[in-house]
Amino acid sequence: MIFCVSLRMAPAAPNMKEFDDFNFSVDKYTKELTRECVGGSDLQQRKKEIEAYNETTAATLKQTCKKNYMEFIQTAKEISRKLYKSIRPLKSECHDHPLDLESEMYQLSHILIEQRNILATMTDGKTNSRLKADSVEAESSAAADDVQNSHATRAVKEMVQGFNGNLEGKTFLNEGALIELDANDYRPIQRVFFFLFNDVLIVCKVKHDKRLDFLTEYDPKKIGVINIKDLDGVKNAINIITPDGSKIYQSITAAGKTEWIEKLEEAFRFDQQKKSKKGQAPQPPTRAKQQSSKSSTPEKVSSTPQPETPTEPKSLEDETPEWLSTASEEIQTLVAQRHFEEAQELIKRTQEYVKGENRKKVPQADSIESKVKQQELKLINVLLKELSNSHNRNLQIALRSAKRPLKILVEMGRYRQASATLLKVCAVSLRVSQREARRNNADISELFFCDLTQVACDYLTAFEQQPACVSALVVWCNAELQYFASQLIKHYLAKGTSLETVAKCVERVRKPSTKLTEIGLDISYHLEGLLRTTLESLIEESKERLLDSVGRTEESWQPYNLQTKSNLKRLLLELDVLGIDVRAQATGDTWMNLTQSTVVFIRHFLQLTEHCGCLAKCETLLQKLELLLKELFIAHHSLKPPSDMAVDPNFVMKNKIFLVDNLLPIAIDKFRQISGRQCEILRELHTKMSRQHGAPLPRQRSVYTTDVF
């Protein structure tokens, strides 16, 4: 146990026959034992051997007593049988020789009394020898404990640097090396060494040169020990809750871990065990004993007349159960050991017992009730702290670890505190997961609403019997939705974002938000309101940017040559996907009977219609999106060739007619299918432009004139 080095050989096994010697001396044996043993471990080994011998001796005494008792019974039976045989022949002679029969009976009675006295003497002798052995063992163990305490005190003073505490009069319990682990990832931090006494736990740091530096000390009665289940990466670990916080230590072996848990528990209950070893106080004589003593007095005394005394009223007796007297201390112990369910049950049981009909039988009911009330408040604070510390990067883990304290708090009636703490924990986990998702370029919308749905489901399950707590959930969802919208605007809907990106982002947000309607929580309208201002500004910005880009490219106003058949085929397939068929305009192998700018505008306008249709699912944005499409179409439709450019007016008119008659109806229908709403502004525009188009103008021809004739 104690760090020490000795070159002496290990002591030989003790000779147990020394205890049977009549001249056995306890002091002499103790001195020889301490001189032979090296350190506390040898003393512990000797102590175990002496205890084993004590148990063997006690078992032998029991067998001997039983054997003697059985022999006594057999002897008594034999005497009874012989007596019966001797009495039967004498029955007939009873009247003739009464004095002889009486003398025979007296002799038999005298013999039985002598045998009983002999057996009693033998039993007392065995008992005295056993008591002597017990006293010898107690004295030897006390001497061994004193030697062990002195060794431990001297070792701490010599080996631990920086420790100035007083260890005189303290009882040494255990020592050993452990490894301190990180509470988050169970990574080894440092090697430590523990010295455990009855009222102090000394923690030292093991340096590289095997020297010990004093770190801190704790009172064993103010710490709690928790057994940690063996995991894949960590085994033989215990969690010690100290006033400085929770710390995890790892033992080298499973036996060492078990020993530390037992020794720390022994240190916690040391004073109680010490008190229980004291004998009980002498009890006053009971009424039954007084009556028996009166009956044993001579008949003359009992026959004397006694003056009658009035009967005194019977006083109330203290009928406090033992478990009720120690309920406060037991609750404190259970809380320190993290047995929260047992502590809550004991609190409930105590309160029901004190408030019931048994209150009159408990003189200290008020004191016990106040102490239990204090322990109940402490348990609530511990559970709230346990609940607040259950936050994790993973929301599922956080909710799983919060179930235990949450359930106990709900059973104790602390609904508001439990719900507020749980929602704070969920808010932290929710925001941490959102931050990590943005770093990994993951879809934050799906993650956010799935987590929000899970929190709402678990919350409603936990507080199913408390409808008043639902309002707290609605307020919390509103706050988290505002935070999510602000982060969405900051990172994904910033100024200058294209309309395509905006539409995809909003669509990814709208789809998972509808999942909350399955549990009766509709937040879609509130979400649209939070994003409305930002989306309107982005739509206006996109409209200005698109209108500025119209007409910037030079247009030759000639049919579009795609150079190769594959390019033409690819273009036709691309436009088919967008919903428009332009095969009628294809001529030859590579020609398109439309200008290049018209073909590009067709593709771009249909894609823009899809994005506007996605955004137009919100009715508040419908008008701005229709105006965007209308002004963009009018801007491109009003393009004209320069006056100095020789172009075919019929070809120009053909492009414009194609836009009005073919492109605009398809765009209106696509907008309706995606958004689910009618595009009235584009319908009016189509009707108006269809009436303006007349017959194509004749192509201008150059006339050759001459003055020869």
PDB file of all heavy atoms in Angstrom, residues 230-249:
ATOM      1  N   ASP A 230     -18.366   0.317 -18.413  1.00  0.00           N
ATOM      2  CA  ASP A 230     -17.223   0.127 -19.299  1.00  0.00           C
ATOM      3  C   ASP A 230     -17.642   0.355 -20.743  1.00  0.00           C
ATOM      4  O   ASP A 230     -18.613  -0.237 -21.230  1.00  0.00           O
ATOM      5  CB  ASP A 230     -16.665  -1.290 -19.147  1.00  0.00           C
ATOM      6  CG  ASP A 230     -16.010  -1.487 -17.782  1.00  0.00           C
ATOM      7  OD1 ASP A 230     -15.746  -0.464 -17.129  1.00  0.00           O
ATOM      8  OD2 ASP A 230     -15.772  -2.638 -17.399  1.00  0.00           O
ATOM      9  N   LEU A 231     -16.921   1.242 -21.430  1.00  0.00           N
ATOM     10  CA  LEU A 231     -17.168   1.534 -22.834  1.00  0.00           C
ATOM     11  C   LEU A 231     -16.102   0.872 -23.680  1.00  0.00           C
ATOM     12  O   LEU A 231     -15.209   0.176 -23.178  1.00  0.00           O
ATOM     13  CB  LEU A 231     -17.180   3.052 -23.060  1.00  0.00           C
ATOM     14  CG  LEU A 231     -18.180   3.839 -22.199  1.00  0.00           C
ATOM     15  CD1 LEU A 231     -18.010   5.324 -22.439  1.00  0.00           C
ATOM     16  CD2 LEU A 231     -19.596   3.419 -22.530  1.00  0.00           C
ATOM     17  N   ASP A 232     -16.185   1.096 -25.005  1.00  0.00           N
ATOM     18  CA  ASP A 232     -15.208   0.488 -25.906  1.00  0.00           C
ATOM     19  C   ASP A 232     -13.799   1.022 -25.649  1.00  0.00           C
ATOM     20  O   ASP A 232     -12.822   0.281 -25.658  1.00  0.00           O
ATOM     21  CB  ASP A 232     -15.610   0.761 -27.369  1.00  0.00           C
ATOM     22  CG  ASP A 232     -16.919   0.065 -27.709  1.00  0.00           C
ATOM     23  OD1 ASP A 232     -17.240  -0.928 -27.025  1.00  0.00           O
ATOM     24  OD2 ASP A 232     -17.604   0.510 -28.644  1.00  0.00           O
ATOM     25  N   GLY A 233     -13.712   2.324 -25.406  1.00  0.00           N
ATOM     26  CA  GLY A 233     -12.393   2.910 -25.236  1.00  0.00           C
ATOM     27  C   GLY A 233     -11.991   3.132 -23.798  1.00  0.00           C
ATOM     28  O   GLY A 233     -10.815   3.350 -23.509  1.00  0.00           O
ATOM     29  N   VAL A 234     -12.937   3.084 -22.862  1.00  0.00           N
ATOM     30  CA  VAL A 234     -12.645   3.397 -21.462  1.00  0.00           C
ATOM     31  C   VAL A 234     -13.208   2.284 -20.584  1.00  0.00           C
ATOM     32  O   VAL A 234     -14.361   1.907 -20.718  1.00  0.00           O
ATOM     33  CB  VAL A 234     -13.265   4.754 -21.059  1.00  0.00           C
ATOM     34  CG1 VAL A 234     -12.955   5.053 -19.610  1.00  0.00           C
ATOM     35  CG2 VAL A 234     -12.744   5.849 -21.946  1.00  0.00           C
ATOM     36  N   LYS A 235     -12.358   1.784 -19.686  1.00  0.00           N
ATOM     37  CA  LYS A 235     -12.775   0.760 -18.743  1.00  0.00           C
ATOM     38  C   LYS A 235     -12.257   1.121 -17.360  1.00  0.00           C
ATOM     39  O   LYS A 235     -11.282   1.849 -17.208  1.00  0.00           O
ATOM     40  CB  LYS A 235     -12.251  -0.616 -19.162  1.00  0.00           C
ATOM     41  CG  LYS A 235     -12.861  -1.137 -20.461  1.00  0.00           C
ATOM     42  CD  LYS A 235     -12.375  -2.543 -20.773  1.00  0.00           C
ATOM     43  CE  LYS A 235     -13.024  -3.061 -22.059  1.00  0.00           C
ATOM     44  NZ  LYS A 235     -12.577  -4.421 -22.387  1.00  0.00           N
ATOM     45  N   ASN A 236     -12.939   0.595 -16.340  1.00  0.00           N
ATOM     46  CA  ASN A 236     -12.531   0.765 -14.943  1.00  0.00           C
ATOM     47  C   ASN A 236     -12.482   2.241 -14.557  1.00  0.00           C
ATOM     48  O   ASN A 236     -11.550   2.688 -13.884  1.00  0.00           O
ATOM     49  CB  ASN A 236     -11.167   0.113 -14.682  1.00  0.00           C
ATOM     50  CG  ASN A 236     -11.127  -1.328 -15.132  1.00  0.00           C
ATOM     51  OD1 ASN A 236     -12.128  -2.026 -15.061  1.00  0.00           O
ATOM     52  ND2 ASN A 236      -9.981  -1.774 -15.613  1.00  0.00           N
ATOM     53  N   ALA A 237     -13.477   3.029 -14.970  1.00  0.00           N
ATOM     54  CA  ALA A 237     -13.502   4.470 -14.693  1.00  0.00           C
ATOM     55  C   ALA A 237     -14.586   4.781 -13.675  1.00  0.00           C
ATOM     56  O   ALA A 237     -15.618   4.104 -13.611  1.00  0.00           O
ATOM     57  CB  ALA A 237     -13.733   5.269 -15.972  1.00  0.00           C
ATOM     58  N   ILE A 238     -14.323   5.801 -12.848  1.00  0.00           N
ATOM     59  CA  ILE A 238     -15.291   6.291 -11.881  1.00  0.00           C
ATOM     60  C   ILE A 238     -15.383   7.805 -12.024  1.00  0.00           C
ATOM     61  O   ILE A 238     -14.406   8.463 -12.403  1.00  0.00           O
ATOM     62  CB  ILE A 238     -14.914   5.915 -10.434  1.00  0.00           C
ATOM     63  CG1 ILE A 238     -13.517   6.441 -10.082  1.00  0.00           C
ATOM     64  CG2 ILE A 238     -15.008   4.431 -10.212  1.00  0.00           C
ATOM     65  CD1 ILE A 238     -13.128   6.199  -8.644  1.00  0.00           C
ATOM     66  N   ASN A 239     -16.555   8.331 -11.714  1.00  0.00           N
ATOM     67  CA  ASN A 239     -16.799   9.773 -11.774  1.00  0.00           C
ATOM     68  C   ASN A 239     -16.951  10.282 -10.349  1.00  0.00           C
ATOM     69  O   ASN A 239     -17.837   9.840  -9.616  1.00  0.00           O
ATOM     70  CB  ASN A 239     -18.052  10.066 -12.598  1.00  0.00           C
ATOM     71  CG  ASN A 239     -18.250  11.546 -12.832  1.00  0.00           C
ATOM     72  OD1 ASN A 239     -17.431  12.363 -12.412  1.00  0.00           O
ATOM     73  ND2 ASN A 239     -19.328  11.909 -13.470  1.00  0.00           N
ATOM     74  N   ILE A 240     -16.079  11.192  -9.950  1.00  0.00           N
ATOM     75  CA  ILE A 240     -16.107  11.757  -8.599  1.00  0.00           C
ATOM     76  C   ILE A 240     -16.619  13.189  -8.705  1.00  0.00           C
ATOM     77  O   ILE A 240     -15.999  14.031  -9.355  1.00  0.00           O
ATOM     78  CB  ILE A 240     -14.717  11.712  -7.949  1.00  0.00           C
ATOM     79  CG1 ILE A 240     -14.225  10.259  -7.833  1.00  0.00           C
ATOM     80  CG2 ILE A 240     -14.748  12.364  -6.573  1.00  0.00           C
ATOM     81  CD1 ILE A 240     -12.861  10.125  -7.194  1.00  0.00           C
ATOM     82  N   ILE A 241     -17.753  13.453  -8.072  1.00  0.00           N
ATOM     83  CA  ILE A 241     -18.354  14.790  -8.075  1.00  0.00           C
ATOM     84  C   ILE A 241     -17.823  15.539  -6.863  1.00  0.00           C
ATOM     85  O   ILE A 241     -18.103  15.188  -5.713  1.00  0.00           O
ATOM     86  CB  ILE A 241     -19.879  14.701  -8.044  1.00  0.00           C
ATOM     87  CG1 ILE A 241     -20.388  13.895  -9.243  1.00  0.00           C
ATOM     88  CG2 ILE A 241     -20.502  16.082  -8.051  1.00  0.00           C
ATOM     89  CD1 ILE A 241     -21.871  13.673  -9.238  1.00  0.00           C
ATOM     90  N   THR A 242     -17.054  16.576  -7.112  1.00  0.00           N
ATOM     91  CA  THR A 242     -16.432  17.374  -6.065  1.00  0.00           C
ATOM     92  C   THR A 242     -17.011  18.784  -6.076  1.00  0.00           C
ATOM     93  O   THR A 242     -17.711  19.165  -7.024  1.00  0.00           O
ATOM     94  CB  THR A 242     -14.908  17.431  -6.291  1.00  0.00           C
ATOM     95  OG1 THR A 242     -14.649  18.173  -7.502  1.00  0.00           O
ATOM     96  CG2 THR A 242     -14.334  16.034  -6.428  1.00  0.00           C
ATOM     97  N   PRO A 243     -16.737  19.592  -5.041  1.00  0.00           N
ATOM     98  CA  PRO A 243     -17.174  20.996  -5.089  1.00  0.00           C
ATOM     99  C   PRO A 243     -16.589  21.769  -6.255  1.00  0.00           C
ATOM    100  O   PRO A 243     -17.159  22.774  -6.683  1.00  0.00           O
ATOM    101  CB  PRO A 243     -16.683  21.551  -3.743  1.00  0.00           C
ATOM    102  CG  PRO A 243     -16.603  20.362  -2.843  1.00  0.00           C
ATOM    103  CD  PRO A 243     -16.204  19.222  -3.714  1.00  0.00           C
ATOM    104  N   ASP A 244     -15.454  21.294  -6.823  1.00  0.00           N
ATOM    105  CA  ASP A 244     -14.853  21.963  -7.977  1.00  0.00           C
ATOM    106  C   ASP A 244     -15.457  21.531  -9.300  1.00  0.00           C
ATOM    107  O   ASP A 244     -15.132  22.101 -10.340  1.00  0.00           O
ATOM    108  CB  ASP A 244     -13.338  21.682  -8.008  1.00  0.00           C
ATOM    109  CG  ASP A 244     -12.651  22.165  -6.744  1.00  0.00           C
ATOM    110  OD1 ASP A 244     -13.215  23.054  -6.092  1.00  0.00           O
ATOM    111  OD2 ASP A 244     -11.577  21.645  -6.411  1.00  0.00           O
ATOM    112  N   GLY A 245     -16.312  20.516  -9.279  1.00  0.00           N
ATOM    113  CA  GLY A 245     -16.889  19.999 -10.518  1.00  0.00           C
ATOM    114  C   GLY A 245     -16.732  18.493 -10.599  1.00  0.00           C
ATOM    115  O   GLY A 245     -16.235  17.826  -9.673  1.00  0.00           O
ATOM    116  N   SER A 246     -17.153  17.940 -11.717  1.00  0.00           N
ATOM    117  CA  SER A 246     -17.095  16.499 -11.932  1.00  0.00           C
ATOM    118  C   SER A 246     -15.766  16.121 -12.582  1.00  0.00           C
ATOM    119  O   SER A 246     -15.334  16.749 -13.547  1.00  0.00           O
ATOM    120  CB  SER A 246     -18.262  16.059 -12.816  1.00  0.00           C
ATOM    121  OG  SER A 246     -18.183  14.673 -13.069  1.00  0.00           O
ATOM    122  N   LYS A 247     -15.124  15.084 -12.040  1.00  0.00           N
ATOM    123  CA  LYS A 247     -13.848  14.616 -12.561  1.00  0.00           C
ATOM    124  C   LYS A 247     -13.903  13.104 -12.734  1.00  0.00           C
ATOM    125  O   LYS A 247     -14.517  12.397 -11.936  1.00  0.00           O
ATOM    126  CB  LYS A 247     -12.699  15.000 -11.633  1.00  0.00           C
ATOM    127  CG  LYS A 247     -12.518  16.516 -11.493  1.00  0.00           C
ATOM    128  CD  LYS A 247     -11.329  16.862 -10.618  1.00  0.00           C
ATOM    129  CE  LYS A 247     -11.165  18.377 -10.517  1.00  0.00           C
ATOM    130  NZ  LYS A 247     -10.001  18.750  -9.689  1.00  0.00           N
ATOM    131  N   ILE A 248     -13.236  12.611 -13.786  1.00  0.00           N
ATOM    132  CA  ILE A 248     -13.256  11.193 -14.122  1.00  0.00           C
ATOM    133  C   ILE A 248     -11.858  10.629 -13.910  1.00  0.00           C
ATOM    134  O   ILE A 248     -10.867  11.187 -14.404  1.00  0.00           O
ATOM    135  CB  ILE A 248     -13.724  10.973 -15.566  1.00  0.00           C
ATOM    136  CG1 ILE A 248     -15.162  11.480 -15.739  1.00  0.00           C
ATOM    137  CG2 ILE A 248     -13.638   9.503 -15.948  1.00  0.00           C
ATOM    138  CD1 ILE A 248     -15.682  11.367 -17.147  1.00  0.00           C
ATOM    139  N   TYR A 249     -11.790   9.515 -13.187  1.00  0.00           N
ATOM    140  CA  TYR A 249     -10.520   8.842 -12.917  1.00  0.00           C
ATOM    141  C   TYR A 249     -10.644   7.384 -13.353  1.00  0.00           C
ATOM    142  O   TYR A 249     -11.707   6.764 -13.241  1.00  0.00           O
ATOM    143  CB  TYR A 249     -10.157   8.924 -11.434  1.00  0.00           C
ATOM    144  CG  TYR A 249      -9.951  10.330 -10.940  1.00  0.00           C
ATOM    145  CD1 TYR A 249     -10.970  11.017 -10.287  1.00  0.00           C
ATOM    146  CD2 TYR A 249      -8.737  10.978 -11.124  1.00  0.00           C
ATOM    147  CE1 TYR A 249     -10.786  12.313  -9.832  1.00  0.00           C
ATOM    148  CE2 TYR A 249      -8.544  12.273 -10.670  1.00  0.00           C
ATOM    149  CZ  TYR A 249      -9.573  12.932 -10.028  1.00  0.00           C
ATOM    150  OH  TYR A 249      -9.388  14.205  -9.586  1.00  0.00           O
TER     151      TYR A 249
END
